[in-house]
Amino acid sequence: MQTILITGIDKGIGKVIAQKFLSEDYFVIGTSLQNEVDFSDENLKVFQMDLLSDESIKNCVQEINNFNKKIDILINNAGVMVDKEETTVIKEKLRKTLEINLIGTIDFTEQILSEINEGGHIINISSSAGSMSRTGRESRMPNHYPSYKISKIALNMYTKTLALRLKDKIIVSSVHPGWVKTDMGGQEANLTIKESVENIFNFAITKPETGQFWFKGEKYPW
Ligand SMILES: NC(=O)c1ccc[n+]([C@@H]2O[C@H](COP(=O)([O-])OP(=O)(O)OC[C@H]3O[C@@H](n4cnc5c(N)ncnc54)[C@H](OP(=O)(O)O)[C@@H]3O)[C@@H](O)[C@H]2O)c1
């Protein structure tokens, strides 16, 4: 039985990714900002983690280490958009966004790296908002959520640099999940969570070219 580690499984895309992998006979280790999640399974173990807190990340990694299961797939899913209505960078919102979407996510990944099996796959859930070439007129919201965009573009560079470092050992990918009906995406989004998660699942279990940006299993422009 293979093991997947997913951050932010209490709601939205992360919750349905966890449920999909459970239904496909994976052991799922999930992290949640809350202490618990509203679903259970004999093959599910949940640990509390707040990506805003160095101490919380360290404790969570320690608990996962003690749990003693090597990881085949890591999906860094947890993330925030705190400047949805803004068109200018608000310093405090930028700081919070970067702390969660970038710095906390990197800190967690680096600390858990030794638990990931060779041949494994790390997926950073990015966004089309983190595509430099789609920032202009092609973007649905060209002027909005600048801090979120900055965080996802920087996360994409982490994907690139980590992929180079882990070459021939662990595959590292950035994945755009689509515009999805969640608390973050809103109900006017054009993909259901289930549709998005089918694409993520089908992609996560493949062995793609490392260090690339993907959407629905196809390369996406940086
Ligand atoms: N929905 C879209 O259209 C869309 C599009 C492109 C990319 N994405 C990306 O997809 C991923 C999942 O998004 P979603 O739409 O499922 O969003 P969501 O429903 O808002 O879920 C976000 C998840 O991140 C967790 N989280 C928030 N702050 C955290 C913190 N400080 N520490 C740890 N976990 C924290 C949340 O926990 P709580 O429930 O406790 O807050 C929740 O589990 C995100 O990385 C997002 O940027 C989404």
Side-chain angles (χ1 to χ4, degrees), residues 49-59 61 74 76 98-113 155 158:
M49 180 172 70
D50 181 356
L51 286 168
L52 268 178
S53 157
D54 290 355
E55 199 187 340
S56 173
I57 293 171
K58 193 168 146 224
N59 290 341
V61 169
L74 163 64
N76 282 315
L98 292 180
E99 283 290 348
I100 296 170
N101 293 5
L102 184 69
I103 299 167
T105 297
I106 292 174
D107 188 17
F108 178 65
T109 306
E110 294 293 327
Q111 290 192 51
I112 209 71
L113 213 46
L155 184 66
Y158 179 58

Side-chain angles (χ1 to χ4, degrees), residues 7-15 17 31-34 48-53 56-57 76-81 96 99-101 124-129 140 148 151-152 155 175-186 189-191 193 196 200:
T7 63
I9 67 157
D10 60 282
K11 68 174 184 183
I13 296 169
K15 177 177 178 177
I17 296 175
T31 76
S32 170
L33 180 56
Q34 321 297 330
Q48 198 274 338
M49 180 172 70
D50 181 356
L51 286 168
L52 268 178
S53 157
S56 173
I57 293 171
N76 282 315
N77 162 78
V80 289
M81 180 190 275
K96 181 173 181 190
E99 283 290 348
I100 296 170
N101 293 5
N124 294 319
I125 298 292
S126 179
S127 170
S128 56
R140 196 170 45 80
Y148 179 77
S151 75
K152 292 296 189 182
L155 184 66
V175 166
H176 168 47
W179 183 25
V180 190
K181 293 182 203 295
T182 64
D183 286 352
M184 186 187 294
N190 58 14
L191 278 184
I193 305 182
S196 171
I200 294 169

